[in-house]
Amino acid sequence: REHLYQAINEGADSLLVGEALVLPAGAGPTVVLVTAGAVDVTTAAGEVLPLTAGDALSAEGSLTATAGEAGADLVAAVIGPAVPAIAG
């Protein structure tokens, strides 16, 4: 039986007031968790979703997170392309 493995790109960032972070579209949904402050997340369809500390979302396509008046800390995970299995 063949297994499919996906690379998962994850990272954390601190955004200054009004600073934006662009998260490119992945092979599946992107997950964003705000750990401090607030952001407005704009989806590829142009929908703006406000998130505050403790809020999370999962969405398809590219996303842009823009920090609010107090800045923000967030964590994001993007599913990358398929990668070959490690022989072993």
Side-chain angles (χ1 to χ4, degrees):
R1 182 172 121 157
E2 186 175 323
H3 295 277
L4 176 65
Y5 296 89
Q6 301 286 133
I8 297 178
N9 302 312
E10 56 186 281
D13 203 351
S14 293
L15 301 176
L16 300 174
V17 176
E19 187 177 11
L21 173 67
V22 177
L23 300 164
T30 296
V31 177
V32 177
L33 168 66
V34 178
T35 58
V39 298
D40 284 334
V41 177
T42 305
T43 67
E47 183 178 8
V48 178
L49 306 167
L51 300 178
T52 58
D55 290 342
L57 70 76
S58 174
E60 298 280 346
S62 64
L63 303 172
T64 300
T66 304
E69 295 179 7
D73 294 337
L74 59 87
V75 178
V78 180
I79 299 174
V83 295
I86 298 173

